[in-house]
Amino acid sequence: MKVRVILHSYLREKLPPERLGRAEMELPPESRVGDLFAQLGISQPVAWSLNGRLERDLSLILKDGDEVRVFRPGAGG
Amino acid sequence: MIPCVNHSILHVNLTNGELKTEQPDDAFYRKYGGGSAMGLYYILKLTPPGSDPLGPQNTLTFFTGIPTGLPVSGQSRICINARSPISLAIGDSQGGGFFPAALKHAGFDGIVVQGRADQPVYLYLHDGQAEIRDAEHLWGLTTGEAEERIKTELGDPKLEVLQIGPAGEKLNLLAAVMNMHNRANGRTGMGAVMGSKNLKAIVVKAARKSEAVDKATLASLQRLGSKSIDQYPDVKGLMLNGTADVVAFQNSIGSLPTYNYNQGDFDQFEAICGDRMTDTILKGNDTCFACTVRCKRVVETEYKGRKVLPTYGGPEYETISTTGSYCGISDLNAIALASQLCNMYGLDTIGTGATIAFAMECFENGVLSLSDTDGIELRFGNADAMLTMIEKIGRREGFGAVLADGSARAAERIGRNSHRYLVTTKNTELPAHIPHAKKTLGVIYAVNPFGADHQSSEHDPMYEEGGFDHYYQRLALLGLHQPQKPGSMNEEKIRFAYLSECFYSALDSYSLCQFVWGPSWQLFGPREMAQMLSAATGWEVSVEEILQVGERRLNMMRAFNAREGFTRKEDTLPAKFEKPMKGSGPTAGVAYPSQDLENYKTIYYTLAGWDVETGNPTAGKLRELGLEWIVE
């Protein structure tokens, strides 16, 4: 299945620069958000949303066509 | 005598042209740190109670801090204080750039301005000397034009210029004080106070360097900072995308004010986020004196044939939000032009964008019509209208004159129940962080002595589970050991708000940058700050001493407000917050009821050791902090 990934801020460095933080990731069926993060090499604290909804549970199972956005986890300034 | 300060404070009386220099001792610097605490010392002593904020009796102060001008990141900041013409409470604003360090290097730690000049003047400080010079020929020029003219006439392109633009000259309460014509002391109307004194600019010539007692430790901190930016992701984000880096996260938690704070998520946020700015209009990064973070943006673009020039810098997160999402605008080129126009006229981008958003909501609801707005369709999403209004505000012309003093004054002028659309506390527009998502920030917006401010305490996510270890390790140094559930609100959270507020208050006393020094996510934490201040002075400065310096400043500000009749009744949030927010993000359907706020305030005042009935410092608390002279 394919999942659309959008990375923000310094997390864009997890993908080649020309991708500008965007990718379609091929994952085995029944993959979890934690599996996606492992594939992307994201091990640090992040904030993320699944199909526009902020979530925290990395064991959520992804479906074909899902969109995962990943943000830095805090914001002052 | 500590070597990092000049022991020299300039007193200027613009009414009679008298210039005097005061030489305080080390004890004075250790007690107050500098910045707005030192400014408050003079304001409390010299401004008679009840003074007209735009009259000659209002004292206007400009202060650097102990470490300003040293070769270490995040020290080149200046605090400007006076009674605010917006809130009638204390006014306070901070700005960075190269001017603060240059003022120190010109031989002065601060300037206390009293009186009013008969005609426009500017101050020229060089080699420990000061002179008052004619500024008639500079009046009416935009900030970029005036800076160029001053440098040309004094024959020195390296001079640093702090100035008001046309907005300050016209006493617009939204007026900022600018330096480098792209750095702003924006908030609380300090540009209007400067304009009321006919003081166009302060020009400084740096001729010496500041020195630390322990140069080796300071140098090692500077090296450590440069090497460790990658370890502190929030700082790395600032370096990559500037403050605009937070747009996407803010939107994700429902904290990106949209359509005049009616919702916390903007469906077009991607068009205005930091990544987009970096990928499109960014020309380069800029910095403040000796800072390795380089968070300042420089953009170059155009909007409908109008050029946006690199010399005016680039939009910050607050500007992107107030002139963007607050107004329902997603054109980054228009936002960049809005930032430039505000910098040219010398306007606070937060107050200006938020005031236009308020007017847009009035227009959308039929409270304003084309006959009120000079024929301008002031609708959400209309970028041309937003830009035209900035220029009208800057020139105080037409409907711009109605808005030029901020939204609270505009609501008085408009009437027709328009105050229901206000998003202010103490007449000050709320910045772009929504309390419904960051609950403790609602308390700080309400109790902060100079109105809603997002840079006066740490934000909730830093003391919530799921963050980086260094957040918690550093907050533990302030006595905060129990990170809370995301989105929670309780006594421990309010303790976090109060203690981190004391720390931030110390940053505004020592006059330090809150992106480089701070209690959690910043490049340097409380321990390094104590180390840096100790290296600068040779004193043994502890985290406890830093917190007390901050607490002292807060109490001085609240004491000033108490003298002007302020009590807990003025510590409010917008009435709009009683109703649930709109939108579709995490804050949709969420309210911030005033009864909740009242309960939080009682906990807060108790923690601060203040009178719970009035919300004001007790005589005992002031004495405990060595401020008995305020009581007497």
Side-chain angles (χ1 to χ4, degrees), chain B residues 558-577:
Chain B
R558 289 293 292 206
F560 178 90
N561 288 359
R563 199 182 75 170
E564 302 299 339
F566 282 75
T567 67
R568 75 176 280 164
K569 284 196 190 109
E570 281 72 38
D571 291 348
T572 60
L573 287 173
K576 193 183 253 198
F577 284 12

Side-chain angles (χ1 to χ4, degrees), chain A residues 8-9 12-13 22 72, chain B residues 236 245 270 275 279 438:
Chain A
H8 287 282
S9 186
R12 298 206 298 177
E13 292 176 355
R22 287 160 186 269
R72 53 183 282 190
Chain B
K236 188 174 177 183
D245 193 54
E270 258 189 308
D275 300 322
D279 295 341
K438 300 177 174 182

Side-chain angles (χ1 to χ4, degrees), chain A residues 4 6-13 20 22 44-47 49 52 54 56 69 71-77, chain B residues 233-234 236 240-241 245-246 248-250 252-253 269-270 275 279 433 438 454-455 459 462 466-468 486 515:
Chain A
R4 183 174 150 82
I6 303 171
L7 307 180
H8 287 282
S9 186
Y10 50 82
L11 293 155
R12 298 206 298 177
E13 292 176 355
L20 298 177
R22 287 160 186 269
Q44 69 267 51
V46 291
S49 66
L54 207 59
R56 295 182 182 277
R69 252 180 216 277
F71 312 94
R72 53 183 282 190
Chain B
D234 301 275
K236 188 174 177 183
L240 288 173
N241 289 333
D245 193 54
V246 304
F249 171 76
Q250 286 284 92
S252 77
I253 63 167
F269 80 93
E270 258 189 308
D275 300 322
D279 295 341
H433 298 260
K438 300 177 174 182
H454 58 297
Q455 293 285 98
H459 293 199
M462 308 303 162
F468 287 96
F515 298 158

Side-chain angles (χ1 to χ4, degrees), chain A residues 17-35:
Chain A
E18 66 276 12
R19 303 308 302 265
L20 298 177
R22 287 160 186 269
E24 292 263 327
M25 304 283 291
E26 189 72 48
L27 293 165
E30 301 290 300
S31 289
R32 296 170 190 275
V33 176
D35 300 327

